[in-house]
Amino acid sequence: APTLLKNRFEVGERVAEGTFFFTHRGRDQESGRPIAVKVLRPEYSTDQAFTERLLAEAKTAVALRHPGIAQVYDAWSEYGTVLIIAE
């Protein structure tokens, strides 16, 4: 069974590895839309000041709407890491 975050966001296969995040394909079960599930790499999860700043920026990005940027749908800290849901 796929991993389900917040009883809503289905996490699929890993599709990319960036400097700070692993990115997985996903699906929002409420809307049916495809999503990207970004998981902070473990080596950065232990720096509390960094993760707090990153989470604050991601939560601010949820309110942004512009055709030139990817929409961030949700962001939170769980399992000792930062999780970001985006289009």
Side-chain angles (χ1 to χ4, degrees):
T3 299
L4 197 61
L5 301 172
K6 289 191 164 183
N7 293 318
R8 176 179 177 181
F9 302 116
E10 186 177 304
V11 182
E13 68 180 312
R14 185 184 299 172
V15 294
E17 293 186 23
T19 302
F20 297 109
F21 289 93
F22 295 121
T23 303
H24 297 257
R25 289 186 204 281
R27 188 173 65 85
D28 181 343
Q29 289 191 334
E30 282 185 15
S31 69
R33 67 185 164 205
I35 57 170
V37 180
K38 299 175 73 80
V39 181
L40 186 64
R41 295 176 72 104
E43 57 267 33
Y44 297 104
S45 295
T46 56
D47 183 339
Q48 186 175 355
F50 175 76
T51 58
E52 286 175 1
R53 187 173 60 251
L54 180 68
L55 186 57
E57 289 177 10
K59 286 182 175 183
T60 299
V62 170
L64 298 176
R65 304 278 188 282
H66 188 277
I69 61 171
Q71 176 66 50
V72 176
Y73 299 125
D74 202 349
W76 70 98
S77 180
E78 186 174 12
Y79 308 116
T81 192
V82 173
L83 299 150
I84 297 173
I85 306 298
E87 63 179 341

